[in-house]
Amino acid sequence: MAGGVWGRAHGAPVGGLTLTALAEGIRASQGQPLAPPLMKPQPEVQGIEAEAEELASVAEPGSAAATPTAGSEPGTPRSAQRTPPEGPHQAPRSSREEGVLADLALCTAACLEEAGFAGTQATALTLTSALEARGERLEDQVHALVRGLLAQVPSLADGRPRRAALRVLSALALEHARDVVCALLPRSLPPDRAATELWHSLSRNQRVNAQVLVQLLWALKGPPRPARDALAATRALGEMLAVSGCVGATRGFYPHLLLALVTQLHELARGTHSPDTPKAWAVPHRVPLQGHASCAVEALKALLAGDGSRMVVTCMEQAGGWRRLAGARTHLEGVLLLASALVAHADHHLRGLFADLLPRLRSAHDAQRLTAMAFFTGLLQSRPTARLLREEAILERLRAWRGDPEPTVRWLGLLGLGHLALNRGKVRLVTTLLPALLGALGEGDARLVGAALGALRRLLLRPRAPVRVLSAELEPRLPPLLDDARDSIRASAVGLLGTLVRRGRSGLRLGLRGPLRKLVLQSLVPLLLRLHDPSRDAAESSAWTLARCDQALRWGLLEEVVTVAHYDSPEALSRICRLLVHQYPSYIPQFLSQTQGYLRSPQDPLRRAATVLAGFLVHHTSPRRVSQDLLDALLQDLRQLQGDPEPAVGAAACVSAQQVALLARAQSRPRGPRLARLARCLTRRHAHPARAPPVYTDSPFQRRSLAGRWGCSGAG
């Protein structure tokens, strides 16, 4: 305010009263008894009293500061003050009254500016005395004073005037933190420059920042209130925590603050608000929702970095955790990533977080309950933290989650069982975990299936993994997942098969592992065709698994597998098919039947790959290994593909159909017993049949070369 105390000339005449004396004079004019002094002036304050006497005349005689209505005695608690009745005779507060209060406060701050904490305390007590002398509700007085400061701060010059205004705010917050926060929050949404400066000032004051943070935390996680208040509190927390050194004031309620910010992100992502909040206030139109989420994320980063947990921030950035936290569908994945990062790099807060989570697990508020569940699940990765509760209590809770009708809760329960069993390494827990994991493979929710596949793979990586049991259990369950419509499920299922083959390779080399061997042979055709999967992850996972199969079964075809995977080489695929046909002749009908199923795939690369694979399998197959019915069905499908909309598929179907026709002709040729025995002998002696090999044109689909993946340019 330009007309305030800082607009006066230095040579203006001033009165001889301090602010405390002024308050006592006000009481005397009302006929109230004078109260004893609130505190004995300390030595460092006494030296400034003289300056206060020269500046106190800013309260003009006719202003509202000199003519209060009714008051309470100084020194009485605020709870004992009498609230005046509100009615039509109560005049509204004018901006002039707020300006006089602001001038009065600035005068007090100027008097005690250099007195340190004692000066701040004296300012707070003096202001309280003066405000109580006005006889109105103290909360209203504080609100009016904060509004006056907000109006004056932009016009104050840097230096002593601005420091005086900020000292007034700190003095008020020392005694009336809740009222100060309530007065500032409405100016924080949308962001106000003056309010931001006041929040920063409160953050730098070590005497009041903890009290203010507690009040903001209560505004964020307290009883149901309009969403606008929570959004304003989130922005104010972001402004305060951004100031260096403020995070240290959160000692004692750090876990509460962390959980409150993460829960607020969940509410912002879901767009929820309390039922009594008008829709127009749920997300203010002047500030987009992404801006609020970004502010909450920045507050979380500042909270973690200020506590020395910069590695947590870095891990979250590298894993895309911050983006997931702000997403409606990926928020819980972000919470799990955050919990994992805290377990790895900030374990000193895990006990407090774990203790604060337990009551939230039974919350009726969905965002709060699900966020707490995700944190609880992630913290089970820490063995010391999991020991805070009895193992039976944790298992009982996780089993209850597994039976919940909501898929998200079942998913979190499955993840928790996996963390608990794999980290503790107890056989009893693994026995409990296996039925839950195998049962989740039949779920319709991709998160449940993915969690089960990941937990089974981690289980196989443990010492003394139950390879034989898993091979038998996965034989009917895993092959359908290799052709799942969801890319992530296909890639995870193929990777699980590769891990299973890797752990059971010693038995496979010795001819043992009957269930595993059967599972591998049952999956060879899907693996070969998934080398051409449009999903890069599924294609690379198939190449890795085929390499594990080549190593375990000693095929010696690693070079061919890599060549087919990255260059789609027909010659390399022909050598692979020749080995499969000669080494596993009893599986030839199954290989052809599986390939025939892929001829009807909606994906062009898979249809062409299946057509080429069928041609090479038929070319290397003996006529006596395939039934006539299978050849007729295969030939019919190939002839239908000759009119395929994709020219490359039609051309390959023509070549493969010729191979099937040649094999069918050789099979139908009449032979006597001696000629049949002679044909069998010739087939054994010659590796290649007499039929001409098929010749296919190059694939028009993109080849998966390493040069393209790593961004290397080819020669020329």
Side-chain angles (χ1 to χ4, degrees), residues 321-585:
W322 301 121
R323 176 178 48 83
R324 292 175 182 271
L325 270 178
R329 297 183 179 180
T330 60
H331 172 79
L332 296 180
E333 297 175 13
V335 174
L336 291 170
L337 287 173
L338 179 58
S340 299
L342 289 171
V343 168
H345 303 291
D347 56 352
H348 54 291
H349 285 303
L350 298 187
R351 288 178 176 267
L353 281 171
F354 201 77
D356 290 342
L357 287 173
L358 297 180
R360 291 169 172 254
L361 296 176
R362 293 181 291 272
S363 173
H365 193 244
D366 286 346
Q368 196 174 79
R369 178 172 54 88
L370 291 176
T371 300
M373 284 181 171
F375 254 119
F376 183 88
T377 299
L379 294 184
L380 288 180
Q381 298 175 82
S382 169
R383 293 187 182 182
T385 305
R387 292 194 188 102
L388 295 176
L389 285 181
R390 290 184 300 108
E391 184 179 292
E392 291 76 12
I394 297 177
L395 278 175
E396 181 181 357
R397 190 183 299 273
L398 295 178
R399 289 195 191 103
W401 294 359
R402 284 285 301 124
D404 194 275
E406 188 176 353
T408 300
V409 178
R410 297 202 302 274
W411 169 58
L412 293 174
L414 190 65
L415 288 176
L417 281 173
H419 292 328
L420 193 64
L422 300 180
N423 286 332
R424 296 200 176 188
K426 294 185 178 180
V427 177
R428 182 174 65 85
L429 291 178
V430 173
T431 306
T432 304
L433 176 66
L434 268 181
L437 294 178
L438 295 172
L441 294 180
E443 291 275 1
D445 194 295
R447 295 174 300 175
L448 282 164
V449 181
L453 291 171
L456 287 171
R457 187 175 185 184
R458 293 195 301 272
L459 184 61
L460 284 171
L461 296 176
R462 291 181 59 251
R464 299 186 299 277
V467 177
R468 183 180 295 274
V469 175
L470 280 177
S471 301
E473 294 289 346
L474 290 175
E475 182 183 346
R477 294 180 173 91
L478 195 58
L481 296 178
L482 301 180
D483 295 324
D484 194 273
R486 296 159 292 192
D487 295 347
S488 60
I489 300 301
R490 288 200 308 274
S492 299
V494 172
L496 175 62
L497 177 60
T499 305
L500 189 61
V501 171
R502 183 181 181 183
R503 291 306 308 269
R505 63 178 179 268
S506 57
L508 286 172
R509 289 176 180 175
L510 297 175
L512 304 176
R513 307 286 189 197
L516 179 56
R517 182 184 180 86
K518 186 177 179 180
L519 178 60
V520 170
L521 295 177
Q522 187 180 356
S523 307
L524 282 180
V525 169
L527 290 176
L528 285 170
L529 294 178
R530 288 298 168 187
L531 293 174
H532 309 276
D533 197 300
S535 168
R536 181 181 293 274
D537 291 338
E540 292 180 352
S541 187
S542 299
W544 182 83
T545 299
L546 280 172
R548 304 287 78 74
C549 294
D550 174 81
Q551 183 182 16
L553 297 173
R554 297 183 176 180
W555 293 339
L557 295 176
L558 180 60
E559 182 179 351
E560 283 76 6
V561 169
V562 174
T563 305
V564 173
H566 295 293
Y567 301 103
D568 195 13
S569 169
E571 294 80 7
L573 182 62
S574 177
R575 291 191 289 271
I576 293 175
C577 291
R578 182 177 60 186
L579 179 137
L580 296 181
V581 166
H582 292 166
Q583 194 161 343
Y584 311 107

